[in-house]
Amino acid sequence: MREKIIVALDVDSEGEALALTEALKDYVGAFKVGLQLFHRAGHGIVTKLVEAGVKVFLDLKFHDIPNTVAQAAAAAVESGAFMFNVHASGGKKMMQEARKAAQASAAALGIAPPLLIGVTVLTSLAEDELQDELGVERSLPEQVAALARLSQEAGLDGVVASAREIPWIRAACGDDFVIVTPGIRPLWAAGDDQKRIVTPQKALEDGADYLVIGRPLTAAADPREAAKKLLAEVASENKGEA
Ligand code: C5P
């Protein structure tokens, strides 16, 4: 269970990120560096976290022409991230080039390639926005499933998705495909601005491989206590079912 939790380090400075990492590293599996921290603290933050002994999910959602994304993918591998992502809507060729560059870069470094994850439809987009603003004719479930399938065909390891989308993705891509789910809230936590939230237990039951959890841990008065409470919540619900 512990290994499946990825903490979203959505903070403004290296100091805050390192302090949270120190407090939480014994209770979770990895830490996510997204656009906010990457741009505030600089790209060196990834190497610093890796040197601190933790796994890093580099959540920069690359979306550009295939050659540019391939170069960025090589840099992501060199940073030491264990997972990074691209937008599936960049197309199959873009994803294939990212995969190829990541594998070549990892081989040159003598390391295992990081998990490469596709972003299907941002969970902040509603179906009417997808259709009316972006001109997509498919329904939301069909578009999520189609982009997950395209990611798989391009050789990606999995996708980021709302826990509610797991059944559509499992149906399209099978069990051997990683699903990373944000929007997780333990029973005792506030929903914040997330609209479609699920509990950690529910996301795991539905087949999520990794849970991205931010504010319930990072904004807690005592992040370490919050992490212990989260692990206890999942453990006790598991026991209840056994
Ligand atoms: O604080 P909270 O638990 O809401 O943080 C969730 C993290 O997951 C944030 O870093 C957010 O950017 C990210 N995320 C998300 N929904 C997505 C993709 C990523 O909430 N569809």
Side-chain angles (χ1 to χ4, degrees):
M1 165 60 195
R2 195 191 87 117
E3 284 303 313
K4 294 186 169 205
I5 300 176
I6 302 178
V7 178
L9 288 174
D10 294 326
V11 292
D12 280 332
S13 69
E14 181 182 305
E16 288 169 276
L18 292 174
L20 275 169
T21 306
E22 201 45 50
L24 292 172
K25 69 180 184 185
D26 291 336
Y27 302 94
V28 301
F31 292 85
K32 181 170 88 65
V33 175
L35 290 166
Q36 178 185 355
L37 180 60
F38 191 82
H39 287 102
R40 292 282 181 196
H43 62 87
I45 185 66
V46 180
T47 317
K48 285 222 169 101
L49 290 168
V50 172
E51 283 169 1
V54 301
K55 285 157 76 175
V56 176
F57 169 18
L58 187 59
D59 178 23
L60 299 180
K61 303 185 180 71
F62 300 144
H63 191 176
D64 209 314
I65 59 172
N67 181 61
T68 302
V69 168
Q71 301 302 330
V77 175
E78 285 162 28
S79 75
F82 94 106
M83 177 188 284
F84 72 101
N85 56 6
V86 300
H87 270 285
S89 47
K92 194 169 180 178
K93 175 110 173 91
M94 188 204 81
M95 291 192 278
Q96 285 170 328
E97 293 295 318
R99 172 82 287 167
K100 227 193 298 171
Q103 278 171 342
S105 177
L109 293 169
I111 58 171
L115 292 170
L116 177 49
I117 302 295
V119 178
T120 58
V121 178
L122 291 172
T123 48
S124 51
L125 278 176
E127 188 167 69
D128 60 338
E129 292 170 306
L130 183 73
Q131 295 177 336
D132 301 343
E133 295 179 16
L134 303 184
V136 172
E137 290 182 356
R138 294 185 185 119
S139 68
L140 182 65
E142 283 168 351
Q143 180 71 353
V144 167
L147 288 176
R149 185 90 194 101
L150 189 71
S151 304
Q152 192 175 40
E153 284 167 10
L156 267 57
D157 300 293
V159 286
V160 184
S162 145
R164 295 171 188 213
E165 296 165 359
I166 294 174
W168 317 335
I169 295 165
R170 287 277 172 242
C173 303
D175 288 339
D176 192 18
F177 197 57
V178 172
I179 302 182
V180 181
T181 57
I184 302 292
R185 288 294 176 273
L187 294 171
W188 41 268
D192 301 310
D193 58 349
Q194 293 280 15
K195 294 202 180 89
R196 296 167 9 194
I197 56 177
V198 299
T199 64
Q201 180 63 21
K202 174 87 175 89
L204 291 172
E205 272 168 22
D206 288 350
D209 295 290
Y210 292 97
L211 312 181
V212 173
I213 307 180
R215 287 160 290 179
L217 300 180
T218 58
D222 185 339
R224 194 177 279 136
E225 282 308 313
K228 285 187 195 167
K229 211 161 137 187
L230 171 86
L231 291 172
E233 177 182 315
V234 177
S236 74
E237 290 199 28
N238 275 339
K239 235 180 268 158
E241 279 180 9

